[in-house]
Every structure is written in C-alpha cells, then in structure tokens.
Amino acid sequence: MEIRLRSVLRNPQLPLIVKAILFGGFLALAKIGNMQLFPILFFLAITLFLYAKPLFRTLLFLTPLFFLVTLAILMARAAAWEIFALLVIPAMSFLFYLLLGIKQLVFVRRELWLRVMYLSFGYASMVLFFAASPEHRWSAFVALLVGLFLLLRGMFSKQYLSSVVLLLLLAEAVWGISLLPFGPIHAASAAFLIYFFVTDLVWNVKAGTLTRHILLIDSTIFIFLAFIIAATTRWAI
C-alpha cells in the first residue's frame, strides 16, 4: 500500500492535474467576481505562475497560453453559469493540463496532443464568433481570422504559404456558413469540420503520410458529421 502510494505521488501527471484544477478554480472565482478587472488580473497572475513553474520551455508556448486565457475569459463572460460550470471550466482546465504536459515533456505523443489543443482552440474561437451579436460580427470576424492565422502558424510553423492559403479558404467558409440559418453551435461545428478536414489533409501531405485509406476515412467522417449537423438543424429562415 505504501509503495503504491509513493508511485502515485511520483506520477509526473499529478502536479499537472492539481494545477489544472487550480486554473479552473481561479477562473470560477473570476466569474464569481463578475469578470471585473481585479478578478481577471488575479486569475492571469495565478495562471502565469502555474504555467511558468518550472522555468522550462516557458517562452516556447506563450502563444498557446495567450489563446487559452483569452478564450477562458471570453467564454466565462459570455456563458451562463450552468454552461460555465458544466462545459467551460472542465474544457479550459483540460486544455491547460494539455499545455502543461506538452511544455514539461510529460506526454509521449506530444505532437498529437498539440494538434488536439490547437483544434480545440479553433472550435472555441468559432463558437465565440458565431455567438457574437450582429453589431459585433465584423470585429469578431477580424479577431477570428487573426486567431486562426496564429493557430495555423502554430500547426505549420515552417509553412507560411500553407497557412495563408488555409486562412483564405477558412475565411470564405466561415463567412459563407454565417449566412446560413444555423444556430451558433451548429455553425461553429460546420466551420470546425472544414477546419479539421483541411488542416488534417495538409498535415498528412507535409508529413508524407497521406494515403487513400486516410483520405477515405477523413472524407467519410466529414460527410457523416456534415449530415448530422444538417439533419439536426432547424432550417427556419
């Protein structure tokens, strides 16, 4: 029993889980404080402290950290308490856990989890865009494009041209979907489906792993999920 307890305490993922829980807890405190300036600054200070310790590869992942805290604050502002407690806190805490695990080399398949994190950032950004009020739609669209470009640069760090081409394609897709009678979740899901499909396609092309089998799987998933989104949408104009 004592040996098992020691092995659990020595698990390198345990400190990450504790930090992720603290991250979610202080985000909840900021929400309780009505997302005023001081609670937000306190949340940012705690997050930076949790992220920076230990001082190892700290500067390397500042962009994902910026994305995470920005999305967490915006979603905490926009979400009702029920959605915030059930979805926002667990999701943001999990992403913070992933970020710490990648930064501290705890995970074995870090490249895979980094892609999962970037894809999650993309979906959250799209939800915020499609949930924005009509008077803020243009500013939200510009912010989304900037965010998507940074995410694409993070996934394809040495492929500037690929990032630009994908950004233009996603910009047209997102704006086209915004004109359809979708709700925010369905619209974000449709846009994310395109985002996932094209980035996964380019990723496999650059890695030299694109095969007919992978293309068939991606196409099947795309068609099936697109059908689910269309079938569950209320087509009321």
Side-chain angles (χ1 to χ4, degrees):
M1 183 66 180
E2 183 180 352
I3 296 176
R4 184 178 301 177
L5 180 60
R6 287 181 179 178
S7 64
V8 170
L9 293 177
R10 291 176 181 175
N11 188 337
Q13 295 191 23
L14 182 60
L16 308 186
I17 295 174
V18 174
K19 288 183 178 182
I21 293 174
L22 290 174
F23 175 85
F26 283 102
L27 179 60
L29 288 178
K31 177 73 170 177
I32 293 173
N34 295 321
M35 302 305 295
Q36 297 298 318
L37 180 60
F38 179 76
I40 290 177
L41 291 177
F42 188 67
F43 163 70
L44 292 177
I46 294 296
T47 299
L48 186 60
F49 173 77
L50 295 174
Y51 166 80
K53 189 178 181 181
L55 292 173
F56 175 65
R57 306 209 306 168
T58 301
L59 299 179
L60 188 60
F61 295 99
L62 285 180
T63 299
L65 178 67
F66 170 78
F67 255 99
L68 178 59
V69 296
T70 301
L71 291 172
I73 291 172
L74 292 177
M75 288 196 155
R77 282 181 176 272
W81 261 107
E82 294 80 5
I83 298 177
F84 176 76
L86 294 176
L87 294 178
V88 175
I89 288 182
M92 295 297 109
S93 299
F94 177 71
L95 290 176
F96 188 65
Y97 166 77
L98 287 184
L99 178 59
L100 294 178
I102 296 168
K103 170 182 174 286
Q104 299 179 22
L105 304 179
V106 173
F107 300 145
V108 177
R109 304 183 65 182
R110 291 183 295 275
E111 188 173 318
L112 171 63
W113 289 116
L114 187 63
R115 288 183 64 191
V116 170
M117 186 173 64
Y118 278 129
L119 289 172
S120 301
F121 288 162
Y123 181 71
S125 301
M126 291 172 184
V127 170
L128 288 172
F129 166 71
F130 287 109
S133 57
E135 60 268 20
H136 297 133
R137 184 56 59 88
W138 273 109
S139 59
F141 183 66
V142 173
L144 176 65
L145 293 185
V146 173
L148 287 177
F149 179 73
L150 293 176
L151 291 176
L152 292 171
R153 290 290 291 156
M155 283 191 284
F156 310 108
S157 57
K158 298 181 180 180
Q159 304 293 334
Y160 180 81
L161 181 60
S162 298
S163 300
V164 173
V165 172
L166 288 176
L167 179 66
L168 294 176
L169 177 62
L170 290 172
E172 293 184 9
V174 168
W175 191 254
I177 291 172
S178 69
L179 302 177
L180 297 176
F182 282 162
I185 299 300
H186 284 82
S189 300
F192 174 77
L193 193 57
I194 298 174
Y195 172 62
F196 169 77
F197 182 78
V198 296
T199 53
D200 190 66
L201 184 65
V202 172
W203 187 281
N204 282 288
V205 169
K206 298 299 181 183
T209 56
L210 183 63
T211 61
R212 291 183 179 180
H213 180 67
I214 291 178
L215 188 59
L216 178 62
I217 292 177
D218 283 359
S219 301
T220 302
I221 293 175
F222 180 87
I223 295 172
F224 176 74
L225 293 181
F227 174 78
I228 295 297
I229 293 171
T232 56
T233 299
R234 296 181 180 181
W235 295 92
I237 302 178

